[in-house]
Amino acid sequence: MKADIHPDYHTITVKMTDGTEFQTRSTWGAEGDVLALDIDPTSHPAWTGGKQQVSEGGRVAKFNQRFGGLSLKK
């Protein structure tokens, strides 16, 4: 490996939304920093089965809302 081109790889603490913590190695922050998560697998709708926003207001839904009444049939 070339010298002085790689980022510092050190141990940090990750704090989940429910308060649990674990240690991992990362290039984020400095040695011993705490990364507090706003969204994690215990709170994100994709993992918890909550309401998903993709089906509510995507581009296709907006198009169908504006032009859904039009048809090519005579």
Side-chain angles (χ1 to χ4, degrees):
M1 292 191 334
K2 292 183 180 179
D4 301 327
I5 65 167
H6 299 285
D8 180 34
Y9 194 59
H10 48 271
T11 303
I12 65 167
T13 301
V14 178
K15 185 175 182 181
M16 308 284 269
T17 57
D18 63 356
T20 58
E21 297 180 351
F22 66 93
Q23 288 194 341
T24 188
R25 293 180 49 85
S26 175
T27 58
W28 180 87
E31 179 77 29
D33 281 352
V34 177
L35 175 63
L37 299 179
D38 293 332
I39 297 176
D40 62 14
T42 61
S43 65
H44 194 278
W47 289 290
T48 60
K51 185 167 62 169
Q52 294 188 5
Q53 296 176 352
V54 174
S55 61
E56 290 178 359
R59 291 182 179 205
V60 174
K62 288 180 184 178
F63 178 85
N64 287 336
Q65 185 179 16
R66 286 183 71 186
F67 305 108
L70 299 177
S71 76
L72 298 173
K73 297 180 183 178
K74 291 184 179 181

